[in-house]
Amino acid sequence: MIRNVLGSAVALAGAASAVLSPFRDWYGGRAGRDYRVADLFEGITAGETGVLVSILLPFLGAALLVVLGMVLRSRLVVALAGLVVLGFTILWMVRQGQAAGSLVVGGDGAGLQVGVVNALAGGVLMLIGALLMSGRRSRRERRPVREREPVEPFAVPAADQVDTWPPTQEPGMSVQTSPWPEPEVDPYTGPDPRDPRTRSYPRAPHPEDDPRDPVHPPHRPPPPPPRG
């Protein structure tokens, strides 16, 4: 925001300098408004011309481009305005040099004068203003952080692969919330022999005789306490 304001102010100063320059002397005591736009393409003549068809016309167009660039916050439009001013000024210098044989800078009013300096300074200020401006932000940059799509840290496993979930890398459901494996439940070992209500129930076989789970056999129940 601050860069746009500063760049716009510099560009406006350049536009004002460029528009003012045709009303000041350019060469040999002749004002810039006395040069036709056509003279820049056909050759400098000594004939009088109107203000609206003079070199003031492209400078007014450049000033309008600066205003348009400020409204649109477009650095490209402001830079284009500066190039227009510099281009027409340099073209005038080429045509004036061809007509006079050479360009000289003299303090007695016989050479280039302050009007040309104003035009060149105006074009340079417009370019500097375009560089200072930050321009318009893209739509992606203007979106708040909370509206941005969340980034998935891990890709979804394929259907033919075992579903794992970091950091344990244990097979299981991807909705597992605990990082630790679930505890294993001891298998059922039969009724409690100390309980008279279940004492008559059939008991589980001994671990060495149990073919159900050779890796995790059931625990042998403790012996009943001796009766007094």
Side-chain angles (χ1 to χ4, degrees):
M1 182 65 180
I2 298 178
R3 290 185 58 185
N4 282 329
V5 174
L6 181 59
S8 299
V10 174
L12 276 179
S17 178
V19 173
L20 179 63
S21 64
F23 298 95
R24 311 191 73 174
D25 293 340
W26 277 47
Y27 194 84
R30 189 177 181 185
R33 64 177 182 272
D34 295 333
Y35 295 95
R36 299 183 306 164
V37 176
D39 292 346
L40 304 181
F41 302 96
E42 300 173 359
I44 300 296
T45 61
E48 297 292 334
T49 183
V51 176
L52 295 181
V53 294
S54 68
I55 199 173
L56 175 64
L57 182 63
F59 290 175
L60 286 176
L64 293 178
L65 285 178
V66 169
V67 175
L68 181 62
M70 291 173 52
V71 174
L72 299 178
R73 287 183 294 177
S74 174
R75 303 173 61 186
L76 181 61
V77 175
V78 176
L80 178 61
L83 293 177
V84 168
V85 173
L86 291 177
F88 275 92
T89 305
I90 294 174
L91 181 59
W92 173 87
M93 293 174 67
V94 172
R95 291 301 185 183
Q96 182 62 43
Q98 292 175 349
S102 63
L103 287 178
V104 295
V105 180
D108 55 354
L112 295 175
Q113 295 180 289
V114 68
V116 181
V117 177
N118 288 146
L120 293 176
V124 172
L125 286 176
M126 292 179 192
L127 293 179
I128 294 176
L131 292 176
L132 291 176
M133 293 175 62
S134 60
R136 301 183 62 180
R137 294 186 301 173
S138 62
R139 183 174 300 178
R140 182 182 298 271
E141 293 176 352
R142 292 197 303 264
R143 294 175 59 185
V145 178
R146 62 177 181 274
E147 295 183 3
R148 295 182 181 176
E149 293 80 3
V151 179
E152 186 69 25
F154 301 100
V156 179
D160 57 346
Q161 297 180 359
V162 178
D163 190 7
T164 59
W165 187 254
T168 61
Q169 297 295 332
E170 294 289 339
M173 298 296 292
S174 60
V175 297
Q176 179 180 350
T177 58
S178 175
W180 307 105
E182 297 182 0
E184 297 183 1
V185 181
D186 293 337
Y188 177 70
T189 58
D192 187 1
R194 292 171 295 182
D195 190 351
R197 295 173 300 178
T198 60
R199 189 176 301 168
S200 61
Y201 292 174
R203 300 181 180 178
H206 295 290
E208 59 271 10
D209 299 333
D210 188 5
R212 293 179 301 172
D213 190 358
V215 179
H216 299 87
H219 300 289
R220 181 189 300 274
R227 298 181 178 179

